[in-house]
Amino acid sequence: MEVFTKKITLYHQVLKLNAEHKSIGLVPTMGALHAGHLSLIKKSKFENDVTIVSIFVNPTQFNDASDLQKYPRPIQTDMALLKNAGCDILFLPSENEMYSPSEKWDYEVGAIANDLEGVYRPGHFMGVTQIVYKLFTIIPAQKAYFGQKDYQQFLVIKHLVAHFNIPMVLVCCPIVREADGLALSSRNIHLSEPQRKKALLLHKTLSFIKNNYSKLPIDKLLQKVRTDFETEDDVQLEYIAFRDKYTLKPIVTINKAIVLIAAQVGNTRLIDNIMLD
Ligand code: AMP
């Protein structure tokens, strides 16, 4: 595995690979890698000649300074996992390499970014689009791989790519879960053992909805969910939403629906979602 810390050297390497007609898959991450990230790498390796993984804890997408400060950064373990997964190139830039002090980013995605995560994490998607645009410019890959776990982020990046005519195919990969259903997340390490159990309520809720949406009306489903969360201490429901899976607008029919959930478990914020069809 080759490690690049400078954007210009990586850019020239990618141009060289493109000239050699090597297909390139890009997997952007913030590190603290787990099996969810590795599934994206596996998919990219299957579909491309060369897989590039980036690890960068992007400060501009954190609206909460303590969340950024405590974000895990186990770089040695990550590098071992990447080598083992057969990653060809790791891009590991510093903050100075990615940002200049005076720069501005004005791109507004629009409605899709101002809802759900956009409400609870103001400015989050501005930071996401800012860094993803930079990564896509430095690494002109043919495909980029993202997880359904951050589904709204995936749609926001689709808008970004369409807006700037970036010639890249975006691939959305399924959510990887623990055996008991908890969606893998780099933030799960912050959960104590009792909180880890309580965190299962997110997946249990989504499974309950998936199993019952054809039998019960949405308001009844929501009523049960709200009661379940109210009776669980140390867990705060932020949102549960039935949305159109293409537009994230409130649904007209349940067929194309995705259900998205976010909750605080102790001081850890978790998100999850499930498609209903
Ligand atoms: P992050 O390092 O959290 O920025 O995530 C990097 C990529 O991994 C994003 O596209 C995430 O959606 C994806 N990802 C995170 N968790 C999972 C998971 N449990 N299953 C599949 N993909 C995931």
Side-chain angles (χ1 to χ4, degrees), residues 182-201:
L182 181 69
L184 294 184
S185 162
S186 305
R187 290 186 173 85
N188 289 353
I189 64 154
H190 298 313
L191 299 169
S192 66
E193 199 42 47
Q195 288 171 339
R196 165 74 183 67
K197 289 204 180 91
K198 288 167 195 263
L200 276 180
L201 186 53

Side-chain angles (χ1 to χ4, degrees), residues 27-37 39-40 61 71 145-151 153 173-177 183-187:
V27 182
T29 82
M30 296 204 298
L33 303 177
H34 51 63
H37 299 109
S39 74
L40 273 48
Q61 73 187 69
Y71 202 84
Y145 295 80
F146 295 90
Q148 185 192 315
K149 163 96 178 352
D150 299 273
Y151 189 70
Q153 168 177 279
C173 302
I175 301 174
V176 177
R177 299 177 180 283
L184 294 184
S185 162
S186 305
R187 290 186 173 85

